[in-house]
Amino acid sequence: MTDRLFFDTDCLSAFLWVRGESILSQLYPGRIILPAQVYDELKRVPHLLAKVDVMKNAGNLIVDSMEVGSAEYHDYLQMITAPDTGMRIIGKGEAAGIAMVKERGGTLASNNLRDISSYVEKYGLKHITTGDILIKAMNTGIISETDGNDIWANMIRKKRMLPTATYTEYIKNKET
């Protein structure tokens, strides 16, 4: 998989809160794209922003902007202000990631399924979650299942919304 990954705030910060950014850097070196809107959201939590800056300075992450007036910027504005009938207004980070993936290709990395699912389906976007990333990390030998359970538990302690109580339970649900 050589796709670029466009992260929203929640998915990236799930790893940042538990000092798991090295997992992302190992799995996706130089392919992590952070929309400028996500970078701006992270400014509210300086220690997370500092970790992003380390990743950026190491060449593992790129902060990218949309050109005002471009098709992706138009899509972005529509999603945050006046979406099509049946679609919901979503956050700036999610909207920027969706707009960029729609126009540029790549994969959206987001946990906020309630907000993004209708857009992912509408535009036929590739999408991954924190759980998918941890499974890939386990399958490539970066972490073990035990490590995954520890990371998962720490994410939950840091108030990250995850779909199951444990990583093992998540794996089992994915297999069925």
Side-chain angles (χ1 to χ4, degrees):
M1 179 170 143
T2 59
D3 279 354
R4 294 174 298 169
L5 285 93
F6 294 80
F7 276 77
D8 73 4
T9 306
D10 181 65
C11 191
L12 180 62
S13 62
F15 288 91
L16 298 175
W17 275 109
V18 299
R19 297 182 178 95
E21 59 272 15
S22 67
I23 294 168
L24 301 176
S25 296
Q26 290 176 70
L27 284 175
Y28 312 113
R31 297 185 299 149
I32 300 170
I33 309 296
L34 205 60
Q37 291 82 351
V38 172
Y39 189 79
D40 288 343
E41 288 176 353
L42 288 169
K43 287 178 180 177
R44 293 184 223 141
V45 189
H47 70 93
L48 296 185
L49 184 67
K51 292 177 182 188
V52 167
D53 286 338
V54 168
M55 293 175 73
K56 186 173 74 165
N57 292 336
N60 291 316
L61 177 147
I62 298 164
V63 177
D64 204 356
S65 301
M66 294 176 275
E67 187 175 325
V68 174
S70 66
E72 65 187 358
Y73 191 74
H74 170 60
D75 289 341
Y76 162 75
L77 286 177
Q78 186 176 13
M79 286 184 266
I80 66 169
T81 60
D84 290 337
T85 303
M87 305 300 276
R88 64 183 340 161
I89 290 176
I90 61 174
K92 291 179 180 180
E94 291 94 352
I98 290 167
M100 289 175 150
V101 171
K102 179 180 177 244
E103 291 298 318
R104 302 177 190 192
T107 301
L108 178 66
S110 176
N111 295 330
N112 197 344
L113 301 180
R114 186 187 59 182
D115 286 351
I116 66 156
S117 291
S118 58
Y119 289 103
V120 167
E121 186 177 316
K122 177 179 179 177
Y123 300 130
L125 305 178
K126 289 191 234 175
H127 168 251
I128 60 171
T129 65
T130 294
D132 299 324
I133 293 168
L134 289 174
I135 286 174
K136 182 173 175 87
M138 186 178 73
N139 290 340
T140 57
I142 295 170
I143 64 169
S144 67
E145 185 172 337
T146 300
D147 296 331
N149 276 304
D150 291 342
I151 292 165
W152 196 269
N154 286 332
M155 287 177 175
I156 289 173
R157 273 194 287 284
K158 290 296 185 176
K159 308 290 190 234
R160 302 297 93 195
M161 300 295 287
L162 298 172
T164 59
T166 68
Y167 175 62
T168 297
E169 186 181 341
Y170 180 80
I171 294 168
K172 288 179 182 173
N173 288 347
K174 289 296 267 192
E175 292 171 351
T176 57

